[in-house]
Amino acid sequence: MDLGITGKRALVCAGSKGLGRGCAEALAAAGVELVLNARSSEALEATAEYIRTTYGVPVTAIAADVTTDAGRQAILLAAGRLDILVNNAGGPPPGNWREWHHDDFLAAFEANAYSAIAFMKETVPAMCERGWGRVVNITSVSVKQPIGVLGLSNTARAALTGFVAGIARDVASQGVAINNLLPGLHATDRTIGLDSFEASMTKESVEQVRARRQAGIPAARYGTAAEFGATCAFMCSQHAAFMIGQNVLLDGGAFNSTL
Ligand code: NAP
């Protein structure tokens, strides 16, 4: 399917690895010029070069932290005009809610709510003026199905979800489609870290934890970053213009519900 976005310009935040990288590659395959971000420049430059050579699109790599004002300003300065925004950041650490303090909640809010809100505030008005834009916020299945050890994620992502529900409808008539994409378990570094955390709690091996978690997914496996990226690219396409303010779950059927 031609996604109809060749020549558009996208910022993919936190995109040197994992789900963000999957989104970047799928957009590049659709002919989208990229501004790619992560904090550490080594992996970022390697991913940017891979995408340039594999897909033949221009890629501007900008190493910066999306959780800081200075980082976001540096990214926006390097980015220039943007038609597509994919918001993403590392997830908060797992733990026990009894041990989380004010600073932990603020850090989670900065990373998994405010960074996305700030990027939307900076870029969506210009998309509206040009009459075309797409925003995909990578959130989590935890928005629908809270995960006990990820209470910081449950909290911050609920805040972003609430904000998006309002802004998406406010700008829909101006050609801008804003939606959230909710990953269930995908095979990335983040999932390896969470499998290891659970293994340390339950005294199982990491392999046992992984097998048990995969068995709990109707698709009987973790998702891939490529599958996630393909869905993101569709949500950024011409065909997704009527998809507004949705929370699209990609979890292999793990969330058990009819609707
Ligand atoms: P990942 O494989 O660990 O990759 C994280 C990427 O984000 C890396 O490129 C990392 O590069 C970058 N990054 C992290 N913090 C950043 C920051 N402050 N500023 C800029 N870049 C940053 O993680 P993932 O699995 O792709 O997860 C992406 C998001 O989806 C996370 O919020 C995660 O909690 C959420 N999620 C993932 C799953 C899953 O199964 N994978 C499920 C539910 C939700 P640097 O370290 O160099 O910055």
Side-chain angles (χ1 to χ4, degrees), residues 14 16-17 19 39-40 65-66 88-89 157 184 186 188 190-191:
S16 67
K17 297 178 188 170
L19 303 180
R39 290 166 303 181
S40 112
D65 186 338
V66 297
N88 187 28
R157 297 187 201 277
H186 284 71
T188 67
R190 167 81 172 165
T191 303

Side-chain angles (χ1 to χ4, degrees), residues 2-256:
D2 178 2
L3 297 183
I5 47 177
T6 302
K8 297 284 188 194
R9 219 172 134 73
L11 167 60
V12 180
C13 297
S16 67
K17 297 178 188 170
L19 303 180
R21 177 175 178 156
C23 297
E25 288 202 46
L27 288 169
V32 173
E33 295 179 16
L34 291 180
V35 180
L36 192 64
N37 154 261
R39 290 166 303 181
S40 112
S41 48
E42 197 178 335
L44 176 65
E45 293 296 345
T47 301
E49 188 50 27
Y50 175 85
I51 291 176
R52 280 182 206 110
T53 17
T54 308
Y55 303 100
V57 294
V59 182
T60 303
I62 171 84
D65 186 338
V66 297
T67 68
T68 67
D69 272 337
R72 290 189 292 268
Q73 287 314 316
I75 294 165
L76 289 167
L77 198 63
R81 187 202 93 222
L82 288 172
D83 308 298
I84 295 169
L85 168 64
V86 178
N87 275 315
N88 187 28
N96 183 322
W97 61 270
R98 295 166 188 80
E99 289 156 16
W100 293 326
H101 301 289
H102 192 181
D103 285 352
D104 300 308
F105 285 95
L106 291 181
F109 183 77
E110 285 287 351
N112 300 115
Y114 190 69
S115 67
I117 292 168
F119 275 123
M120 283 187 272
K121 280 192 67 186
E122 294 283 349
T123 60
V124 169
M127 292 178 190
C128 290
E129 275 170 27
R130 291 193 298 270
W132 199 95
R134 298 284 183 271
V135 179
V136 173
N137 300 294
I138 299 178
T139 64
S140 173
V141 64
S142 69
V143 169
K144 279 183 175 283
Q145 179 173 278
I147 302 166
V149 296
L150 290 177
L152 293 169
S153 169
N154 302 338
T155 307
R157 297 187 201 277
L160 176 60
T161 304
F163 179 78
V164 168
I167 184 180
R169 287 161 177 92
D170 187 48
V171 300
S173 67
Q174 294 164 81
V176 180
I178 306 181
N179 295 285
N180 301 323
L181 183 51
L182 287 52
L185 288 169
H186 284 71
T188 67
D189 288 355
R190 167 81 172 165
T191 303
I192 293 170
L194 292 174
D195 287 349
S196 305
F197 176 79
E198 187 155 329
S200 73
M201 303 300 285
T202 60
K203 310 299 174 208
E204 296 165 281
S205 68
V206 176
E207 290 70 27
Q208 284 171 314
V209 169
R210 187 171 306 137
R212 178 165 51 70
R213 300 221 292 172
Q214 289 185 339
I217 301 172
R221 63 176 177 85
Y222 289 164
T224 68
E227 291 169 320
F228 189 85
T231 306
C232 175
F234 175 80
M235 292 167 72
C236 296
S237 76
Q238 297 292 358
H239 311 297
F242 206 52
M243 182 189 283
I244 302 294
Q246 297 303 298
N247 290 284
V248 177
L249 179 61
L250 213 54
D251 71 343
F255 178 65
N256 189 8

